Amino acid sequence: MAAWLLFYQILSLSIFLCPSHSADPDPLQDFCIADLKDSPSVNGFPCKPASTVTSEDFFFDGLSREGNTTNAFGTSIKQGNVLAFPGLNTLGISMNRVDFAPGGINPPHSHPRATESGVVIKGKVLVGLVTTGNVFYSKVLTRGQMFVVPRGLVHFQQNVGEGKALIFTAFNSHFPGSVLLATNLFGSKPSIPDDVLAKAFQVENSIIDGIKSKFGA
Ligand code: GLV
Ligand code: MN
């Protein structure tokens, strides 16, 4: 058999046998309540000893109350990830609660480790996402309607109704991570050099300084 054919067959077999993981890996035990005092290892926090686990470890009320939306964005995001709810450790899921004042936005951001789905509980919400090919998709949703944002894509929500709005979002990771574009680029520590940002956005350095000053850089 030609060497290249053998190589091709081995490659195909290895791809077939080792499918890439599109979310957190599957757990190898029923539960692993995170011991947040210990440092995370590769795939999560170490488990707290099973003998110390109680009912409380499986419940979380951090998403039950409306958040404070009096801020520049008019939005509150409460995260129900492994850091807030250690019972999620290694289970590959988490949720957020997002409250919006009228006109409030959850600014453009992405989740490097998870696909997001969401449901509108109250109000009228414009949900938008942009693909890696720079195509923008959006729709205004009302109560009970769902959306999905494929992993890593930039997306946002805006309350376009008269009153308050509320959505719950869910992720296929216990710690999806969130890259808030404006803060990431203009509020990093240390700061990205003005020249780099000015050239990237094709504007004067003074404009970059103006934006940076709003993001604490
Ligand atoms: C919404 O986009 C969220 O990340 O909760
Ligand atoms: Mn999101």
Tab-separated table of all heavy atoms in Angstrom, residues 64-116:
chain	number	residue	atom	x	y	z
A	64	SER	N	-32.278	34.912	41.612
A	64	SER	CA	-33.711	35.067	41.908
A	64	SER	C	-34.168	36.515	42.014
A	64	SER	O	-35.360	36.785	41.883
A	64	SER	CB	-34.054	34.308	43.199
A	64	SER	OG	-33.258	34.791	44.250
A	65	ARG	N	-33.252	37.422	42.228
A	65	ARG	CA	-33.661	38.826	42.400
A	65	ARG	C	-33.179	39.720	41.269
A	65	ARG	O	-32.111	39.492	40.703
A	65	ARG	CB	-33.157	39.359	43.741
A	65	ARG	CG	-34.061	38.947	44.902
A	65	ARG	CD	-33.452	39.282	46.240
A	65	ARG	NE	-32.291	38.437	46.541
A	65	ARG	CZ	-32.371	37.169	46.952
A	65	ARG	NH1	-33.545	36.590	47.130
A	65	ARG	NH2	-31.278	36.469	47.192
A	66	GLU	N	-33.984	40.754	40.999
A	66	GLU	CA	-33.632	41.715	39.953
A	66	GLU	C	-32.326	42.412	40.307
A	66	GLU	O	-32.100	42.777	41.459
A	66	GLU	CB	-34.777	42.735	39.854
A	66	GLU	CG	-34.585	43.738	38.757
A	66	GLU	CD	-35.792	44.691	38.633
A	66	GLU	OE1	-36.895	44.372	39.143
A	66	GLU	OE2	-35.588	45.759	38.031
A	67	GLY	N	-31.459	42.623	39.301
A	67	GLY	CA	-30.198	43.310	39.556
A	67	GLY	C	-30.339	44.815	39.418
A	67	GLY	O	-31.348	45.312	38.899
A	68	ASN	N	-29.323	45.521	39.885
A	68	ASN	CA	-29.326	46.983	39.822
A	68	ASN	C	-28.858	47.439	38.436
A	68	ASN	O	-27.713	47.191	38.053
A	68	ASN	CB	-28.391	47.506	40.926
A	68	ASN	CG	-28.332	49.007	40.940
A	68	ASN	OD1	-28.994	49.678	40.153
A	68	ASN	ND2	-27.527	49.551	41.850
A	69	THR	N	-29.730	48.126	37.726
A	69	THR	CA	-29.391	48.522	36.347
A	69	THR	C	-28.981	49.992	36.243
A	69	THR	O	-28.905	50.536	35.144
A	69	THR	CB	-30.589	48.267	35.409
A	69	THR	OG1	-31.713	48.978	35.905
A	69	THR	CG2	-30.928	46.786	35.313
A	70	THR	N	-28.731	50.630	37.408
A	70	THR	CA	-28.308	52.043	37.326
A	70	THR	C	-26.793	52.112	37.086
A	70	THR	O	-26.001	52.261	38.013
A	70	THR	CB	-28.688	52.829	38.607
A	70	THR	OG1	-28.383	52.010	39.728
A	70	THR	CG2	-30.131	53.233	38.634
A	71	ASN	N	-26.416	51.926	35.843
A	71	ASN	CA	-25.007	52.040	35.426
A	71	ASN	C	-25.015	52.516	33.974
A	71	ASN	O	-26.085	52.683	33.374
A	71	ASN	CB	-24.298	50.689	35.583
A	71	ASN	CG	-25.043	49.575	34.880
A	71	ASN	OD1	-25.326	49.661	33.695
A	71	ASN	ND2	-25.393	48.526	35.607
A	72	ALA	N	-23.822	52.738	33.430
A	72	ALA	CA	-23.714	53.334	32.090
A	72	ALA	C	-24.461	52.518	31.032
A	72	ALA	O	-24.962	53.073	30.050
A	72	ALA	CB	-22.241	53.454	31.712
A	73	PHE	N	-24.537	51.191	31.217
A	73	PHE	CA	-25.174	50.343	30.201
A	73	PHE	C	-26.663	50.113	30.460
A	73	PHE	O	-27.375	49.597	29.608
A	73	PHE	CB	-24.470	48.987	30.122
A	73	PHE	CG	-23.024	49.086	29.723
A	73	PHE	CD1	-22.028	48.507	30.501
A	73	PHE	CD2	-22.651	49.762	28.567
A	73	PHE	CE1	-20.692	48.593	30.130
A	73	PHE	CE2	-21.314	49.861	28.186
A	73	PHE	CZ	-20.334	49.279	28.978
A	74	GLY	N	-27.129	50.453	31.660
A	74	GLY	CA	-28.540	50.208	31.981
A	74	GLY	C	-28.856	48.724	32.062
A	74	GLY	O	-29.965	48.290	31.734
A	75	THR	N	-27.891	47.951	32.520
A	75	THR	CA	-28.046	46.484	32.535
A	75	THR	C	-27.391	45.878	33.772
A	75	THR	O	-26.406	46.420	34.275
A	75	THR	CB	-27.327	45.875	31.299
A	75	THR	OG1	-27.839	46.496	30.139
A	75	THR	CG2	-27.551	44.393	31.188
A	76	SER	N	-27.954	44.782	34.242
A	76	SER	CA	-27.294	44.026	35.310
A	76	SER	C	-27.147	42.583	34.847
A	76	SER	O	-28.114	41.988	34.348
A	76	SER	CB	-28.145	44.068	36.579
A	76	SER	OG	-27.959	42.892	37.325
A	77	ILE	N	-25.935	42.040	34.990
A	77	ILE	CA	-25.717	40.634	34.617
A	77	ILE	C	-25.315	39.870	35.865
A	77	ILE	O	-24.261	40.149	36.455
A	77	ILE	CB	-24.615	40.494	33.555
A	77	ILE	CG1	-24.998	41.319	32.326
A	77	ILE	CG2	-24.398	39.026	33.178
A	77	ILE	CD1	-23.922	41.421	31.289
A	78	LYS	N	-26.171	38.944	36.285
A	78	LYS	CA	-25.814	38.089	37.427
A	78	LYS	C	-25.389	36.752	36.861
A	78	LYS	O	-26.126	36.133	36.093
A	78	LYS	CB	-27.010	37.926	38.344
A	78	LYS	CG	-27.364	39.220	39.047
A	78	LYS	CD	-28.342	38.979	40.164
A	78	LYS	CE	-28.515	40.249	40.974
A	78	LYS	NZ	-29.481	40.081	42.062
A	79	GLN	N	-24.191	36.315	37.241
A	79	GLN	CA	-23.655	35.087	36.679
A	79	GLN	C	-23.863	33.905	37.607
A	79	GLN	O	-23.546	33.982	38.801
A	79	GLN	CB	-22.166	35.262	36.398
A	79	GLN	CG	-21.924	36.327	35.328
A	79	GLN	CD	-20.462	36.495	34.991
A	79	GLN	OE1	-19.603	36.369	35.864
A	79	GLN	NE2	-20.171	36.779	33.738
A	80	GLY	N	-24.415	32.850	37.048
A	80	GLY	CA	-24.562	31.604	37.809
A	80	GLY	C	-23.559	30.606	37.262
A	80	GLY	O	-23.947	29.556	36.740
A	81	ASN	N	-22.276	30.964	37.357
A	81	ASN	CA	-21.235	30.041	36.869
A	81	ASN	C	-20.601	29.320	38.067
A	81	ASN	O	-21.031	29.478	39.209
A	81	ASN	CB	-20.188	30.792	36.027
A	81	ASN	CG	-19.482	31.884	36.811
A	81	ASN	OD1	-19.364	31.802	38.037
A	81	ASN	ND2	-19.021	32.910	36.122
A	82	VAL	N	-19.561	28.532	37.799
A	82	VAL	CA	-18.989	27.699	38.869
A	82	VAL	C	-18.459	28.524	40.040
A	82	VAL	O	-18.480	28.067	41.189
A	82	VAL	CB	-17.887	26.765	38.299
A	82	VAL	CG1	-16.682	27.558	37.819
A	82	VAL	CG2	-17.447	25.733	39.318
A	83	LEU	N	-18.034	29.762	39.767
A	83	LEU	CA	-17.501	30.578	40.870
A	83	LEU	C	-18.614	31.004	41.819
A	83	LEU	O	-18.407	31.134	43.027
A	83	LEU	CB	-16.792	31.826	40.325
A	83	LEU	CG	-15.543	31.575	39.497
A	83	LEU	CD1	-14.891	32.892	39.092
A	83	LEU	CD2	-14.555	30.707	40.269
A	84	ALA	N	-19.814	31.233	41.253
A	84	ALA	CA	-20.936	31.649	42.095
A	84	ALA	C	-21.660	30.430	42.665
A	84	ALA	O	-22.189	30.471	43.779
A	84	ALA	CB	-21.909	32.487	41.257
A	85	PHE	N	-21.696	29.368	41.898
A	85	PHE	CA	-22.486	28.170	42.236
A	85	PHE	C	-21.567	26.949	42.078
A	85	PHE	O	-21.539	26.307	41.032
A	85	PHE	CB	-23.683	28.116	41.275
A	85	PHE	CG	-24.650	26.990	41.484
A	85	PHE	CD1	-24.609	26.167	42.605
A	85	PHE	CD2	-25.651	26.759	40.545
A	85	PHE	CE1	-25.510	25.142	42.786
A	85	PHE	CE2	-26.566	25.734	40.704
A	85	PHE	CZ	-26.498	24.918	41.813
A	86	PRO	N	-20.794	26.631	43.134
A	86	PRO	CA	-19.775	25.577	43.027
A	86	PRO	C	-20.339	24.215	42.647
A	86	PRO	O	-19.600	23.361	42.144
A	86	PRO	CB	-19.147	25.549	44.431
A	86	PRO	CG	-19.439	26.905	45.004
A	86	PRO	CD	-20.756	27.331	44.429
A	87	GLY	N	-21.641	24.002	42.840
A	87	GLY	CA	-22.259	22.724	42.466
A	87	GLY	C	-22.179	22.452	40.970
A	87	GLY	O	-22.348	21.317	40.521
A	88	LEU	N	-21.934	23.484	40.160
A	88	LEU	CA	-21.833	23.295	38.703
A	88	LEU	C	-20.493	22.714	38.272
A	88	LEU	O	-20.345	22.294	37.121
A	88	LEU	CB	-22.002	24.646	37.983
A	88	LEU	CG	-23.339	25.350	38.100
A	88	LEU	CD1	-23.270	26.691	37.374
A	88	LEU	CD2	-24.422	24.486	37.478
A	89	ASN	N	-19.546	22.695	39.199
A	89	ASN	CA	-18.180	22.275	38.844
A	89	ASN	C	-18.163	20.966	38.057
A	89	ASN	O	-18.783	19.976	38.482
A	89	ASN	CB	-17.379	22.094	40.146
A	89	ASN	CG	-15.900	21.942	39.903
A	89	ASN	OD1	-15.333	22.600	39.042
A	89	ASN	ND2	-15.255	21.072	40.691
A	90	THR	N	-17.512	20.970	36.924
A	90	THR	CA	-17.311	19.833	35.994
A	90	THR	C	-18.576	19.400	35.233
A	90	THR	O	-18.519	18.467	34.440
A	90	THR	CB	-16.724	18.554	36.674
A	90	THR	OG1	-17.736	17.926	37.444
A	90	THR	CG2	-15.517	18.862	37.519
A	91	LEU	N	-19.724	20.045	35.474
A	91	LEU	CA	-20.955	19.567	34.847
A	91	LEU	C	-21.207	20.180	33.463
A	91	LEU	O	-22.136	19.780	32.761
A	91	LEU	CB	-22.163	19.813	35.770
A	91	LEU	CG	-22.069	19.072	37.113
A	91	LEU	CD1	-23.314	19.299	37.948
A	91	LEU	CD2	-21.859	17.571	36.897
A	92	GLY	N	-20.409	21.188	33.096
A	92	GLY	CA	-20.477	21.686	31.720
A	92	GLY	C	-21.667	22.568	31.410
A	92	GLY	O	-22.027	22.716	30.235
A	93	ILE	N	-22.282	23.148	32.431
A	93	ILE	CA	-23.410	24.059	32.179
A	93	ILE	C	-23.356	25.229	33.153
A	93	ILE	O	-22.748	25.124	34.241
A	93	ILE	CB	-24.787	23.365	32.342
A	93	ILE	CG1	-24.900	22.712	33.720
A	93	ILE	CG2	-25.034	22.355	31.245
A	93	ILE	CD1	-26.317	22.319	34.074
A	94	SER	N	-24.021	26.330	32.804
A	94	SER	CA	-24.189	27.470	33.709
A	94	SER	C	-25.254	28.396	33.134
A	94	SER	O	-25.711	28.189	31.996
A	94	SER	CB	-22.869	28.228	33.913
A	94	SER	OG	-22.359	28.664	32.672
A	95	MET	N	-25.655	29.387	33.922
A	95	MET	CA	-26.703	30.316	33.497
A	95	MET	C	-26.395	31.722	33.968
A	95	MET	O	-25.666	31.913	34.943
A	95	MET	CB	-28.059	29.920	34.108
A	95	MET	CG	-28.605	28.623	33.601
A	95	MET	SD	-30.270	28.306	34.211
A	95	MET	CE	-31.217	29.379	33.127
A	96	ASN	N	-26.980	32.702	33.286
A	96	ASN	CA	-26.938	34.100	33.723
A	96	ASN	C	-28.352	34.647	33.800
A	96	ASN	O	-29.255	34.174	33.102
A	96	ASN	CB	-26.203	34.987	32.705
A	96	ASN	CG	-24.695	34.830	32.768
A	96	ASN	OD1	-24.154	34.186	33.660
A	96	ASN	ND2	-24.018	35.422	31.809
A	97	ARG	N	-28.502	35.691	34.620
A	97	ARG	CA	-29.734	36.475	34.616
A	97	ARG	C	-29.345	37.873	34.156
A	97	ARG	O	-28.415	38.484	34.701
A	97	ARG	CB	-30.299	36.545	36.033
A	97	ARG	CG	-31.452	37.524	36.130
A	97	ARG	CD	-31.920	37.784	37.557
A	97	ARG	NE	-32.976	38.775	37.486
A	97	ARG	CZ	-34.172	38.657	37.995
A	97	ARG	NH1	-34.481	37.597	38.710
A	97	ARG	NH2	-35.075	39.603	37.829
A	98	VAL	N	-30.034	38.394	33.143
A	98	VAL	CA	-29.721	39.740	32.649
A	98	VAL	C	-30.965	40.605	32.743
A	98	VAL	O	-31.991	40.318	32.109
A	98	VAL	CB	-29.205	39.712	31.190
A	98	VAL	CG1	-28.643	41.076	30.806
A	98	VAL	CG2	-28.143	38.629	30.995
A	99	ASP	N	-30.874	41.656	33.577
A	99	ASP	CA	-31.971	42.635	33.716
A	99	ASP	C	-31.619	43.883	32.927
A	99	ASP	O	-30.461	44.320	32.937
A	99	ASP	CB	-32.147	43.027	35.189
A	99	ASP	CG	-32.764	41.914	36.009
A	99	ASP	OD1	-33.991	41.738	35.925
A	99	ASP	OD2	-32.014	41.204	36.725
A	100	PHE	N	-32.607	44.463	32.280
A	100	PHE	CA	-32.383	45.667	31.472
A	100	PHE	C	-33.334	46.770	31.919
A	100	PHE	O	-34.540	46.545	32.024
A	100	PHE	CB	-32.697	45.424	29.993
A	100	PHE	CG	-31.898	44.328	29.338
A	100	PHE	CD1	-32.295	42.998	29.438
A	100	PHE	CD2	-30.772	44.632	28.594
A	100	PHE	CE1	-31.566	41.989	28.812
A	100	PHE	CE2	-30.047	43.624	27.956
A	100	PHE	CZ	-30.443	42.306	28.076
A	101	ALA	N	-32.792	47.969	32.109
A	101	ALA	CA	-33.642	49.159	32.235
A	101	ALA	C	-34.123	49.489	30.817
A	101	ALA	O	-33.542	48.991	29.841
A	101	ALA	CB	-32.814	50.309	32.796
A	102	PRO	N	-35.151	50.338	30.661
A	102	PRO	CA	-35.537	50.722	29.302
A	102	PRO	C	-34.321	51.279	28.553
A	102	PRO	O	-33.576	52.098	29.087
A	102	PRO	CB	-36.608	51.798	29.531
A	102	PRO	CG	-37.161	51.466	30.888
A	102	PRO	CD	-36.009	50.921	31.688
A	103	GLY	N	-34.081	50.793	27.342
A	103	GLY	CA	-32.932	51.252	26.540
A	103	GLY	C	-31.609	50.593	26.908
A	103	GLY	O	-30.597	50.831	26.243
A	104	GLY	N	-31.593	49.785	27.954
A	104	GLY	CA	-30.336	49.177	28.432
A	104	GLY	C	-29.749	48.200	27.420
A	104	GLY	O	-30.474	47.565	26.650
A	105	ILE	N	-28.412	48.105	27.418
A	105	ILE	CA	-27.760	47.127	26.530
A	105	ILE	C	-26.818	46.214	27.307
A	105	ILE	O	-26.203	46.633	28.289
A	105	ILE	CB	-26.935	47.794	25.388
A	105	ILE	CG1	-25.810	48.685	25.938
A	105	ILE	CG2	-27.815	48.532	24.407
A	105	ILE	CD1	-24.691	48.914	24.946
A	106	ASN	N	-26.753	44.986	26.861
A	106	ASN	CA	-25.670	44.083	27.252
A	106	ASN	C	-24.693	44.205	26.086
A	106	ASN	O	-24.945	43.690	25.002
A	106	ASN	CB	-26.212	42.653	27.411
A	106	ASN	CG	-25.138	41.677	27.843
A	106	ASN	OD1	-24.028	42.085	28.188
A	106	ASN	ND2	-25.450	40.402	27.809
A	107	PRO	N	-23.589	44.943	26.288
A	107	PRO	CA	-22.744	45.355	25.158
A	107	PRO	C	-22.113	44.180	24.407
A	107	PRO	O	-22.016	43.072	24.951
A	107	PRO	CB	-21.644	46.199	25.819
A	107	PRO	CG	-22.034	46.392	27.222
A	107	PRO	CD	-23.016	45.323	27.592
A	108	PRO	N	-21.657	44.436	23.166
A	108	PRO	CA	-21.051	43.376	22.369
A	108	PRO	C	-19.942	42.624	23.128
A	108	PRO	O	-19.030	43.244	23.675
A	108	PRO	CB	-20.484	44.136	21.158
A	108	PRO	CG	-21.391	45.316	21.023
A	108	PRO	CD	-21.745	45.708	22.439
A	109	HIS	N	-20.078	41.309	23.154
A	109	HIS	CA	-19.120	40.469	23.873
A	109	HIS	C	-19.147	39.077	23.250
A	109	HIS	O	-20.009	38.784	22.416
A	109	HIS	CB	-19.477	40.406	25.368
A	109	HIS	CG	-20.797	39.749	25.639
A	109	HIS	ND1	-22.002	40.406	25.498
A	109	HIS	CD2	-21.111	38.485	26.026
A	109	HIS	CE1	-22.995	39.582	25.787
A	109	HIS	NE2	-22.484	38.402	26.109
A	110	SER	N	-18.222	38.215	23.691
A	110	SER	CA	-18.234	36.826	23.222
A	110	SER	C	-17.843	35.912	24.373
A	110	SER	O	-17.256	36.366	25.370
A	110	SER	CB	-17.265	36.651	22.055
A	110	SER	OG	-15.945	36.802	22.521
A	111	HIS	N	-18.194	34.633	24.230
A	111	HIS	CA	-17.851	33.630	25.247
A	111	HIS	C	-16.913	32.610	24.608
A	111	HIS	O	-17.341	31.805	23.774
A	111	HIS	CB	-19.114	32.940	25.770
A	111	HIS	CG	-20.121	33.908	26.295
A	111	HIS	ND1	-19.947	34.586	27.479
A	111	HIS	CD2	-21.270	34.368	25.759
A	111	HIS	CE1	-20.974	35.408	27.656
A	111	HIS	NE2	-21.793	35.297	26.634
A	112	PRO	N	-15.626	32.663	24.974
A	112	PRO	CA	-14.660	31.787	24.305
A	112	PRO	C	-14.895	30.303	24.541
A	112	PRO	O	-14.449	29.481	23.752
A	112	PRO	CB	-13.312	32.223	24.880
A	112	PRO	CG	-13.603	33.046	26.084
A	112	PRO	CD	-15.001	33.568	25.948
A	113	ARG	N	-15.583	29.952	25.641
A	113	ARG	CA	-15.690	28.521	25.955
A	113	ARG	C	-17.099	27.953	25.865
A	113	ARG	O	-17.321	26.820	26.288
A	113	ARG	CB	-15.131	28.279	27.373
A	113	ARG	CG	-13.641	28.523	27.489
A	113	ARG	CD	-13.116	28.220	28.875
A	113	ARG	NE	-13.534	29.197	29.863
A	113	ARG	CZ	-12.902	30.338	30.093
A	113	ARG	NH1	-11.829	30.660	29.397
A	113	ARG	NH2	-13.342	31.181	31.022
A	114	ALA	N	-18.059	28.715	25.316
A	114	ALA	CA	-19.424	28.158	25.325
A	114	ALA	C	-20.319	28.739	24.250
A	114	ALA	O	-20.198	29.898	23.865
A	114	ALA	CB	-20.076	28.412	26.687
A	115	THR	N	-21.250	27.902	23.820
A	115	THR	CA	-22.410	28.367	23.063
A	115	THR	C	-23.422	28.872	24.085
A	115	THR	O	-23.509	28.350	25.198
A	115	THR	CB	-22.982	27.183	22.243
A	115	THR	OG1	-22.093	26.928	21.163
A	115	THR	CG2	-24.361	27.473	21.701
A	116	GLU	N	-24.157	29.916	23.708
A	116	GLU	CA	-25.152	30.502	24.622
A	116	GLU	C	-26.533	30.333	24.013
A	116	GLU	O	-26.709	30.522	22.815
A	116	GLU	CB	-24.838	31.999	24.784
A	116	GLU	CG	-25.943	32.793	25.458
A	116	GLU	CD	-25.561	34.277	25.621
A	116	GLU	OE1	-24.349	34.597	25.732
A	116	GLU	OE2	-26.482	35.113	25.630
